[in-house]
Amino acid sequence: MKKLFIFLATALMLIGCGTTTNTVPTAKISGDLSRYQYVFVVPTSGVTSGGGVYSTGYGVYGGDTHTVNPSELITGYLMKLGYSALPSIVPDLAEHTIVVTYGNTGTSSVLVAKSGVIIQVRDAKTHQLIATSEAEGTSLEDETYAVKRAIYRALDNIFVTNQ
């Protein structure tokens, strides 16, 4: 019995160490982000994940469901940095506006939720790519937490790390 406990404890430690690592975020910045005061974030739909449904001898139960909207996370992040969020691109302000888009590069959930994202930042007037960042997030909870972590890592890599 003691050997089984040691084996299980070792296996759980190894699984925990191996599943919480993320790839290093990558970023390419080809423009000066400090010349922009406004941001338009392309709207996204929410990412939803849940704990599933399970059954016991006393009934059927559903797990928690979580939803996160990537464009709202990105907008809030950039507002904290001092950007003014616009509901649409205003032609008179386009020269000082960045357009931010989000994409999901893939997810997996074997023992831990993993999600990859890519963030692109473009000039609203010229449509030139100013910056792009790709990152991965992991979570023991569910995919929504992994998406949040990936988005924040990608944004940090553009707006914090490279200043």
Side-chain angles (χ1 to χ4, degrees), residues 29-119:
I29 299 175
S30 57
D32 181 13
L33 291 164
S34 66
R35 62 181 282 257
Y36 299 93
Q37 295 96 23
Y38 304 98
V39 62
F40 172 70
V41 179
V42 176
T44 61
S45 59
V47 176
T48 302
S49 63
V53 176
Y54 59 95
S55 172
T56 67
Y58 300 104
V60 177
Y61 301 93
D64 291 339
T65 300
H66 300 106
T67 301
V68 64
N69 189 314
S71 61
E72 290 177 9
L73 289 177
I74 294 166
T75 300
Y77 180 98
L78 294 174
M79 288 171 72
K80 278 185 169 182
L81 293 180
Y83 289 91
S84 294
L86 300 174
S88 63
I89 298 172
V90 178
D92 292 343
L93 302 175
E95 189 174 326
H96 301 287
T97 303
I98 54 175
V99 177
V100 180
T101 55
Y102 156 89
N104 191 315
T105 60
T107 60
S108 66
S109 60
V110 177
L111 299 176
V112 67
K114 283 189 177 188
S115 186
V117 302
I118 187 165
I119 306 286

Side-chain angles (χ1 to χ4, degrees), residues 88-157:
S88 63
I89 298 172
V90 178
D92 292 343
L93 302 175
E95 189 174 326
H96 301 287
T97 303
I98 54 175
V99 177
V100 180
T101 55
Y102 156 89
N104 191 315
T105 60
T107 60
S108 66
S109 60
V110 177
L111 299 176
V112 67
K114 283 189 177 188
S115 186
V117 302
I118 187 165
I119 306 286
Q120 288 188 336
V121 180
R122 294 187 177 274
D123 183 288
K125 186 173 183 178
T126 66
H127 304 285
Q128 286 293 118
L129 185 63
I130 300 167
T132 184
S133 180
E134 194 168 348
E136 184 179 85
T138 59
S139 172
L140 295 174
E141 289 89 4
D142 61 32
E143 184 184 342
T144 58
Y145 292 104
V147 167
K148 279 184 182 179
R149 288 188 177 113
I151 288 171
Y152 290 142
R153 290 183 79 213
L155 290 169
D156 283 347
N157 209 29

